[in-house]
């Protein structure tokens, strides 16, 4: 139990700046009270999540949404609030130029513009001390024949190589894959195999990031995790959960058993280290944002605690003997354990409130920002 | 062949006013040139689709997007442009009040507001001469426990009954179902069974509308069509196509063979009449809107022509004999036929250009609206 | 807690006779030791499951697999072993005549044969005292055009009506639906809507049975449960679990949270009574059969206990207030509770061993049947 | 058109010996008349398919189903019948030892046995002159925890390396992937990425084979084809079609447009050569086997003809200009063309009957084998 607590104390979960802004579906973005109006306010909110959970010390930025004049100042501000800048996300999907693609666009001018944006993100990494660039491309096509699938791979490879070469010492990029949306026929990085193949060719600074909502129905995500760890190519996670497509619900909300299985493979594969980034990537469309992030951090923590509880010796023994029900029972025994008392104890040992949700609710922070943040443009996708 | 041509001449496909405005995904709505700025301009564009295809004489309105002060005037304008008002669509998903639902919302005040909106749509039917109200509800919940699934059915039933009672002579409503989006855990009308059960209880003026993009992966849509026709409960279609979820691509673009099978069941089941409304419901996110609609109308027409070509006597004989390959071959023979020459001939007989796409492109209409429609607010979802 | 224990004591889960025989995939049926060779031995094994769990007192028969000369004798034998005969399942898919269907076959002779088999199953109900007939049809077609989808519905309706009329006082049938397999293009009862529509027309003795593995990917099963209960048409469950298609794994093995949500809707909808039959329907292809059934019964029991623990007043309050996270938290609090100590206590109060799996393993029963049941033909699908 | 005909004349499609035997689902294998009773009779039937289509000159063997004492004699017999031995398929899933896996089994003894079987298949390649070994593993686990996902990858890699080293000059193996079935939780080679990663490490003699029925719902297969061709790792196809899972219907029956898109990417990517093997892999459960194979060969041929008809210059031009509808129209124009007259003409130029299905039906071959092949054990899975 001491080991488990030590492991849990070492866990780090990154929250994304955009999660604190408004989000929605194509049908409607519902506005909420107290939503941040600039990157500084987003960092302040993220700091609340860390203050109550103790394990969310970094915040991912999204460029251009989080563009500021002085990134060093932003990083300093983060530090004062008790958090640090984490991964830099490069968004190349909200400019009219990108209607038919960014780095895979048929027009070289658009590709140049998109790649320049990626390079600028590396500049921001330099300025903020971030060591990770996260690359997700909405690139793809909606209709068969619309563009040449293979040529788009050539263009993608060319852009990735240029960005890879620009990475400095201790920097890396994570390539994200997604089955579909916003492209509806062929996406240029649709699955882990595509991301993996590009990363292998590029070298050790290129790794794959697994967004748990980006797979075809039925995909066994923990298999992918185990496989990528075996290959040394798992760079991190974008956590969220889904029942259907890329629903971007709170991680652990749709299938907590799956989250547990993923965390088990992470631990079993030696991925429970700083090498693998645990990031949230969710849309709180109808629930309040800060509590949504706190609950999500707790969900990952609970899944991790359960995964750490697995009696691996007993599991291996049952597996070796071909004891199907016995091996399954060892895993389920850990999953069925209620780890909430353990985590409450752990928090108290660290000087935190045992129930982060209740503590935040009582803090008055929400009432404060709801009162203060009036006027201005609330942050959201595109703002 | 004479019969087939006569049948094709009688076909009517309705286009939706919103398809002429801008649309997109949650990631980005890309603006296009020449997009309408009000319902009048939308009708003008829809009239172009009818002018070149000859089989798209009606236009569906969406309320509140198409709200005008004087609906009689709008209907008159439509007539002058060569089209008529078709179904009235009631949109109850873009008001902040509807964040947790419209007619199924836990709060009676919101339900009242939503139901009043539906009743207002019946008023608009009266004013425009429309005989069909189309009801799609985005209502649902994102998280298990968020609201009570069964109580929401009670509320839905109550609202539907009130609207049903308001319908006049010769009026009906079509209830639409959708698996998911924008709700991501439980949708209140997720499948045809739910829509059907409500409609059966309400009576003959309530029917089910099949949106071809609203099903779970693997669903056999033509089975549903055949079943609903057998029950007298198929009210119409919202046509579009998809590879993944509710992609809203042009109908026939993703799986033309499926569209053919659907049209075959329509014809076989006696649904190729005015009783069943054939409507388009698509998003032209990256392609031009008017040509997108023309192509879609042509795709439905081609599928219909192929379905009419099926040698039903030969098919029945093979089916009766249990000749699996023979029966399949009869169907495939029709599908594999190139019906484009037949349709070109049909158009020429009706005084239309044989190639609607080329004719529209040459007409100069796009250049005209691109030049004229500058300034103002382009129509789109929410506008 | 007293109420919860009382509810749990009243729970009844039925196991199927065929689960004790060999099963497999189309690729291979792996034989196991000690497998029953006749219906009497199957009942003896089922009695073991009841002996250790205390909540599995009935056993479903499958005809023709469980055909015997004297059903009264079989029922008596069951009673001596400590169990009773449950539902009668009519299998009309393993005769060469049924290659193209049973009750929906194009040939009237085959339909007559199939319907006669169903009627014979009602005779067996009379002879055994069973009150439930379970109807699953593998009927469907593999290729578009192979047979007429709508005519098959007519034939289905005709056969169901004949069987319905034959049902005696206090007897009912449950109609099962399944998306696909063994038919691969169109199944004649593919979804709950189809089963529901037929049952509504037939009357109160016809109800729908939900097999948890028979849905399209992404289907919200608990919604269907809630809806059918609201309509008074939920007759029972065939429990199992799956990651992909109709995998027929042990219930609760693939998605225990889903099982909990289903049980919650059962309880909330008033379905936790004798009106709704809780049956297992699984294939223990690689794991031992009796322990597989014990584990499955325990999994349903654990999900039920968690569902009973939901604080429904708190849940309703949060739902009424539109407190998305609060309502979800009430549900998750029950799910995250470890109910195993409670169930162990309950068992001991009933004179059972606290750990049924361990108790069975220690009993020596497996060693006994493995030694005794040599020679003869092991039971399996088709035997 | 001359080029297209030349290309079509060069096409080669391989049929699998097992397709001529009985097959079925887990529910029932329906027997058919005239089914072969040994490998010699299977080859005779395969020769019929070639005789009428002119493009099916090779036959894949499956070991152990096609084990004979003298492979040289079998190859000679094939030659006399007008066909040749194609790929050797290694089946390691029908021995009781393989219940928990073959090359990934936890027990080293079973792994040794399985790998030895693979090596024996290379011996058979030497004896028959076959240059291709096809490896499909049913290996996987049904329950979380049942075995260690990562260790199974280690074992897989070890076995593959041993087989790779045994390959002679001019020999290769193709590694097949499959999402699920018969394993229902985690399959050891579930997707193209896994197969690709192993093949890249092994070297140029290891390539990926794409079975068109082995993907998750929504997977874009032509993307995979384009990607693997770009990497030089596409070894061939196992063609079939499906609506749901691995339905193994006749290729082109479920989604002919998808088959066309796949063939287009093959041609565009330079894969229309002897390097890429075009093999059928289907179950004719309810339709007659030889006609089922003839129809399937014709379906691939028709899709190929359409793909060859694509005006690639026009397509490229439209793609470069970002003309979404124009580019799609170029592709659809080829797809919508009726190529059956062209193929009939091509056959007649080659001295074949224009309609292979009709010619076979008239030949009397079926009546002959139905009369002759009585007694003995019909071939099927496991025989």
């Amino acid at each position: 139990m001491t080991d488990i607590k030590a492991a849990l104390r070492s866990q780090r979960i990154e929250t994304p700046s955009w999660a604190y802004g408004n989000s929605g579906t194509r049908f409607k973005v519902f506005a909420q009270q107290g939503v941040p109006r600039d990157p500084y306010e987003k960092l302040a909110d993220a700091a609340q999540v860390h203050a109550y959970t103790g394990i969310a010390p970094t915040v991912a930025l999204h460029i251009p949404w989080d563009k500021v004049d002085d990134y060093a100042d932003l990083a300093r501000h983060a530090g004062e609030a008790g958090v640090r800048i984490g991964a830099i996300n490069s968004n190349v999907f909200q400019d009219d130029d990108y209607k038919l693609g960014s780095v895979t666009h048929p027009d070289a001018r658009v590709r140049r513009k998109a790649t320049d944006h990626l390079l600028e993100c590396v500049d921001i990494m330099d300025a903020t001390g971030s060591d990770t660039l996260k690359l997700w491309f909405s690139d793809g096509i909606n209709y068969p024949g619309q563009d040449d699938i293979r040529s788009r791979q050539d263009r993608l490879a060319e852009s990735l190589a240029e960005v890879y070469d620009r990475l400095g010492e201790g920097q890396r990029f994570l390539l994200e894959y997604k089955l579909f949306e916003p492209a509806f026929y062929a996406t240029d990085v649709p699955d882990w195999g595509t991301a993996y193949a590009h990363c292998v060719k590029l070298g050790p600074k290129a790794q794959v990031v697994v967004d748990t909502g980006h797979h075809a129905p039925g995909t066994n995500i923990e298999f992918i995790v185990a496989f990528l760890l075996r290959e040394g190519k798992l760079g991190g996670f974008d956590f969220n959960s889904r029942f259907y497509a890329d629903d971007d619900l709170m991680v652990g909300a749709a299938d907590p058993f799956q989250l547990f299985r993923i965390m088990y493979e992470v631990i079993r594969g030696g991925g429970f280290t700083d090498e693998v980034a645990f990031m949230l990537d969710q849309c709180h469309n109808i629930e309040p944002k800060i509590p949504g992030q706190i609950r999500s951090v707790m969900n990952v923590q609970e899944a991790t605690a359960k995964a750490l509880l697995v009696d691996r010796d007993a599991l291996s023994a049952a597996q070796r003997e071909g004891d199907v029900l016995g091996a399954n029972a060892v895993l389920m025994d850990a999953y069925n354990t209620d780890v909430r008392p353990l985590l409450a104890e752990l928090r108290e040992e660290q000087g935190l409130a045992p129930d982060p949700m209740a503590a935040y609710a009582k803090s008055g922070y929400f009432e404060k920002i709801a009162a203060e943040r009036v006027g201005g443009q609330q942050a959201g996708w595109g703002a």
Side-chain angles (χ1 to χ4, degrees), chain A:
Chain A
M1 205 53 80
T2 318
D3 286 357
I4 292 175
K5 278 190 180 171
L8 288 168
R9 264 191 295 269
S10 76
Q11 189 167 31
R12 295 290 172 263
I13 297 166
E14 182 163 313
T15 73
S17 68
W18 70 264
Y20 302 99
N22 286 320
S23 64
T25 68
R26 60 174 169 147
F27 295 97
K28 173 73 175 168
V29 174
F30 295 105
Q32 296 193 11
Q33 279 189 297
V35 160
R37 294 156 305 173
D38 59 39
Y40 289 84
E41 291 182 352
K42 292 182 197 172
L43 287 169
D45 288 2
Q48 290 289 307
V49 177
H50 183 49
Y52 291 99
T53 63
I55 56 170
T58 59
V59 188
L61 297 188
H62 290 249
I63 306 300
W65 300 335
D66 293 324
K67 272 201 167 185
V68 292
D69 291 333
D70 185 345
Y71 289 98
D73 182 66
L74 188 70
R76 197 162 41 242
H77 172 82
E80 287 164 13
V83 290
R84 294 192 312 278
I85 304 299
I88 304 299
N89 290 257
S90 58
N91 295 353
V92 279
F93 53 84
Q94 291 195 321
D95 186 301
D96 276 323
D97 269 343
Y98 299 144
K99 188 168 80 166
L100 303 181
S102 65
V103 296
T104 68
H105 196 287
D107 183 340
R109 181 190 64 80
V110 178
R111 296 201 298 275
R112 184 67 259 152
K113 174 174 170 173
T115 304
D116 284 344
H117 180 82
L118 306 186
L119 297 173
E120 184 191 340
C121 287
V122 186
D123 294 339
I124 296 173
M125 292 169 70
D126 291 340
T128 57
S130 167
D131 60 3
T132 298
L133 175 64
K134 186 138 64 74
L135 301 173
W136 173 65
F137 300 104
S138 70
D139 295 49
I141 55 181
N142 276 6
Y143 292 102
Q146 178 189 324
D147 197 6
D148 188 60
I149 289 174
R150 181 159 166 170
S151 300
R152 294 176 76 94
Q153 288 299 313
D154 296 336
R155 299 170 199 150
L156 172 66
E158 193 180 331
S159 177
L160 290 177
E162 189 175 342
V163 177
Y164 190 88
D165 289 342
R166 166 67 183 83
L167 292 172
E169 197 72 22
Q171 292 181 334
R172 64 173 175 171
F173 72 59
L174 308 184
L175 183 55
E176 190 162 341
Y177 58 92
K178 183 175 182 180
L179 181 65
F180 78 99
E181 197 214 16
F184 292 127
Y185 162 57
T187 295
D188 293 321
V189 190
D191 53 19
W192 77 265
T194 305
Y196 167 83
H198 280 286
C199 288
V200 164
K201 290 198 177 168
L202 288 165
K205 290 178 177 178
Q207 289 178 303
V208 180
V209 60
V210 174
D211 183 304
T212 47
H214 285 189
H215 303 83
T219 301
N220 184 323
I221 299 175
E222 58 268 29
F223 176 90
I224 297 172
V225 169
F227 197 92
L228 287 174
L229 279 169
R230 185 176 179 271
E231 303 291 322
K233 279 296 182 193
L234 181 67
F237 289 93
D238 267 4
F239 280 123
N240 51 60
S241 74
R242 65 92 169 263
F243 289 95
Y244 304 96
D246 189 29
D247 305 344
D248 278 334
L249 301 176
M250 298 188 302
V251 58
D255 188 349
F257 182 44
Q258 182 191 57
L259 181 60
F260 160 78
R261 299 193 310 264
I262 289 172
M263 290 310 304
Y264 174 72
E265 290 301 333
V266 167
I267 291 164
R268 184 267 176 257
F272 193 59
T273 67
D274 288 350
E275 296 292 294
V276 176
F278 299 90
M279 301 173 282
L280 302 185
D281 192 59
Q282 309 174 155
C283 289
H284 303 299
N285 296 345
I286 59 168
E287 67 272 21
K289 281 97 172 52
I290 297 172
Q293 291 283 296
I294 292 174
R295 167 60 66 204
S296 301
V297 168
M298 292 172 69
N299 283 353
V300 175
Q301 193 180 29
E302 289 174 21
T304 307
K306 291 181 178 196
L308 288 164
L309 279 174
V310 173
D311 182 341
R312 291 181 55 190
D313 290 339
L315 183 61
S316 291
Q319 290 173 342
R320 269 194 311 273
E321 292 161 20
D323 180 1
V324 175
L325 290 176
N328 177 245
V330 172
L331 201 77
M332 296 313 291
D333 184 38
Y335 178 68
N336 285 324
T337 302
D338 188 344
V339 295
R340 292 174 300 173
L342 168 72
L343 292 171
E345 192 181 298
L346 182 79
R347 287 183 199 110
E348 290 189 309
E349 288 170 11
Q350 296 177 288
L352 297 170
D355 180 346
M357 291 292 283
Y360 169 77
K362 264 184 277 185
S363 73
Y365 184 82
F366 173 69
E367 291 73 12
K368 181 169 156 291
I369 57 176
E372 285 176 5
R373 296 178 184 170
V374 284
Q377 170 80 36
Q378 289 191 323
W381 281 21

